[in-house]
Amino acid sequence: MGSRSHSALPPNWQVRVSQKYDREYYFNTVTRESRWDPPTLSPQLGAKHILAKHRGSRRPSSWREENITRSESEAHDIITGYLNDIEQCDNAEKFSDCSSAKRGGDLGRFERGAMQKPFEDAVLALKPGEISKPIKTDSGVHIILRTH
C-alpha cells in the first residue's frame, strides 16, 4: 500500500488509505500511531506537576490517601512548602496525590483544551523549565513545571 504526503500535516505524519475500510487515515511514521482524525498543527504542551488534593476536590482520594480530609487552605500550604524545597518537581512520586506520581508527575504531551482551564493557562504562562506558583483547579492545588 502506498502513502501520500500532505503538506498541512505536522512532521512525520502521512495520509494513508485503509484497505479494510477504503478510507483515508493518518499515520505517524515515528510513533506508529494511526488515527482517523487529522493530527493537529497546534503545538503540544508538556508538564510535570505535584497535586495536593483537599476535601473539596472533585475526587478527594488518591493513591496515597483513601479519604482526603484536609482543607483547601491546608492543601495550598502543602504545595507552597513544596515550592520552597523542590526543583524540577522531582519529588512528585513521593508527594503528589495524582496518579501521574508514578511517572514523576509527568503528564506527557497534551494539546490545548485537554486539561482544566486554570491548569492549561498556567502552563501557557510558563516557559519550558519554569515552575508555577500554586494553581487551584477542581482537582486540587498544583505546582507545575512546563516541560514543552
Side-chain angles (χ1 to χ4, degrees):
M1 167 170 62
S3 65
R4 293 183 284 159
S5 294
H6 195 283
S7 61
L9 293 174
N12 305 314
W13 285 93
Q14 298 176 337
V15 177
R16 294 188 176 181
V17 177
S18 166
Q19 292 177 341
K20 182 175 181 178
Y21 297 104
D22 193 32
R23 72 180 260 209
E24 291 183 343
Y25 70 96
Y26 299 87
F27 179 77
N28 186 304
T29 59
V30 174
T31 65
R32 316 294 292 164
E33 175 186 357
S34 61
R35 54 171 41 188
W36 294 114
D37 296 321
T40 181
L41 284 172
S42 65
Q44 291 188 329
L45 305 171
K48 290 172 65 174
H49 75 135
I50 297 176
L51 169 65
K53 291 186 175 187
H54 53 81
R55 63 178 165 256
S57 296
R58 65 180 177 179
R59 279 185 233 121
S61 65
S62 75
W63 67 274
R64 297 177 61 223
E65 216 173 328
E66 188 174 334
N67 185 26
I68 295 174
T69 59
R70 72 178 70 95
S71 69
E72 182 180 323
S73 176
E74 290 169 320
H76 190 277
D77 290 347
I78 288 168
I79 285 296
T80 300
Y82 294 158
L83 255 180
N84 296 331
D85 298 329
I86 292 177
E87 290 184 29
Q88 306 299 309
C89 291
D90 286 337
N91 292 320
E93 57 277 342
K94 293 179 194 169
F95 302 119
S96 184
D97 287 323
C98 182
S99 61
S100 68
K102 61 187 144 208
R103 295 182 306 277
D106 194 347
L107 297 170
R109 291 189 182 208
F110 51 90
E111 296 179 8
R112 290 183 182 196
M115 299 292 178
Q116 295 175 46
K117 184 154 177 41
F119 189 96
E120 180 179 304
D121 289 347
V123 172
L124 289 169
L126 299 169
K127 294 177 183 166
E130 291 182 336
I131 296 177
S132 72
K133 64 181 185 5
I135 302 297
K136 178 185 165 192
T137 70
D138 291 342
S139 297
V141 184
H142 311 253
I143 52 173
I144 304 166
L145 166 70
R146 182 165 179 180
T147 58
H148 294 95

mmCIF file of all heavy atoms in Angstrom, residues 1-5 14-17 29:
data_model
loop_
_atom_site.group_PDB
_atom_site.id
_atom_site.type_symbol
_atom_site.label_atom_id
_atom_site.label_comp_id
_atom_site.label_asym_id
_atom_site.label_seq_id
_atom_site.Cartn_x
_atom_site.Cartn_y
_atom_site.Cartn_z
ATOM 1 N N MET A 1 0.843 -1.174 0.000
ATOM 2 C CA MET A 1 0.000 0.000 0.000
ATOM 3 C C MET A 1 0.888 1.235 0.000
ATOM 4 O O MET A 1 1.801 1.349 0.795
ATOM 5 C CB MET A 1 -0.896 -0.042 1.240
ATOM 6 C CG MET A 1 -1.594 1.262 1.499
ATOM 7 S SD MET A 1 -2.872 1.178 2.786
ATOM 8 C CE MET A 1 -1.948 0.736 4.216
ATOM 9 N N GLY A 2 0.591 2.171 -0.831
ATOM 10 C CA GLY A 2 1.370 3.389 -0.896
ATOM 11 C C GLY A 2 0.873 4.404 0.108
ATOM 12 O O GLY A 2 -0.167 4.241 0.725
ATOM 13 N N SER A 3 1.615 5.464 0.275
ATOM 14 C CA SER A 3 1.180 6.544 1.154
ATOM 15 C C SER A 3 1.348 7.849 0.406
ATOM 16 O O SER A 3 2.148 7.967 -0.498
ATOM 17 C CB SER A 3 1.991 6.548 2.450
ATOM 18 O OG SER A 3 3.331 6.848 2.164
ATOM 19 N N ARG A 4 0.530 8.814 0.774
ATOM 20 C CA ARG A 4 0.601 10.123 0.158
ATOM 21 C C ARG A 4 1.063 11.143 1.181
ATOM 22 O O ARG A 4 0.785 10.995 2.358
ATOM 23 C CB ARG A 4 -0.779 10.529 -0.360
ATOM 24 C CG ARG A 4 -1.231 9.664 -1.511
ATOM 25 C CD ARG A 4 -2.537 10.130 -2.047
ATOM 26 N NE ARG A 4 -3.580 9.702 -1.125
ATOM 27 C CZ ARG A 4 -4.772 10.251 -1.063
ATOM 28 N NH1 ARG A 4 -5.085 11.245 -1.844
ATOM 29 N NH2 ARG A 4 -5.664 9.818 -0.219
ATOM 30 N N SER A 5 1.739 12.148 0.719
ATOM 31 C CA SER A 5 2.137 13.232 1.611
ATOM 32 C C SER A 5 1.039 14.275 1.631
ATOM 33 O O SER A 5 0.246 14.383 0.705
ATOM 34 C CB SER A 5 3.437 13.877 1.122
ATOM 35 O OG SER A 5 4.483 12.956 1.230
ATOM 36 N N GLN A 14 1.576 11.018 7.768
ATOM 37 C CA GLN A 14 1.227 10.737 6.376
ATOM 38 C C GLN A 14 -0.256 10.406 6.296
ATOM 39 O O GLN A 14 -0.845 9.919 7.259
ATOM 40 C CB GLN A 14 1.975 9.513 5.847
ATOM 41 C CG GLN A 14 3.472 9.637 5.817
ATOM 42 C CD GLN A 14 4.123 8.331 5.366
ATOM 43 O OE1 GLN A 14 3.544 7.251 5.466
ATOM 44 N NE2 GLN A 14 5.341 8.443 4.863
ATOM 45 N N VAL A 15 -0.819 10.640 5.116
ATOM 46 C CA VAL A 15 -2.176 10.180 4.828
ATOM 47 C C VAL A 15 -2.035 8.845 4.121
ATOM 48 O O VAL A 15 -1.290 8.719 3.156
ATOM 49 C CB VAL A 15 -2.937 11.179 3.933
ATOM 50 C CG1 VAL A 15 -4.318 10.646 3.581
ATOM 51 C CG2 VAL A 15 -3.034 12.541 4.599
ATOM 52 N N ARG A 16 -2.723 7.839 4.638
ATOM 53 C CA ARG A 16 -2.735 6.514 4.021
ATOM 54 C C ARG A 16 -4.183 6.104 3.781
ATOM 55 O O ARG A 16 -5.103 6.740 4.271
ATOM 56 C CB ARG A 16 -2.031 5.494 4.903
ATOM 57 C CG ARG A 16 -0.529 5.779 5.035
ATOM 58 C CD ARG A 16 0.167 4.669 5.750
ATOM 59 N NE ARG A 16 1.611 4.897 5.788
ATOM 60 C CZ ARG A 16 2.462 4.073 6.346
ATOM 61 N NH1 ARG A 16 2.046 2.955 6.929
ATOM 62 N NH2 ARG A 16 3.755 4.327 6.339
ATOM 63 N N VAL A 17 -4.357 5.018 3.056
ATOM 64 C CA VAL A 17 -5.705 4.517 2.791
ATOM 65 C C VAL A 17 -5.846 3.136 3.416
ATOM 66 O O VAL A 17 -5.036 2.243 3.171
ATOM 67 C CB VAL A 17 -5.992 4.456 1.268
ATOM 68 C CG1 VAL A 17 -7.378 3.859 1.016
ATOM 69 C CG2 VAL A 17 -5.880 5.844 0.651
ATOM 70 N N THR A 29 4.846 8.110 11.186
ATOM 71 C CA THR A 29 5.912 7.169 10.824
ATOM 72 C C THR A 29 6.937 6.962 11.939
ATOM 73 O O THR A 29 7.680 5.991 11.906
ATOM 74 C CB THR A 29 6.640 7.643 9.553
ATOM 75 O OG1 THR A 29 7.182 8.947 9.798
ATOM 76 C CG2 THR A 29 5.705 7.676 8.362
#
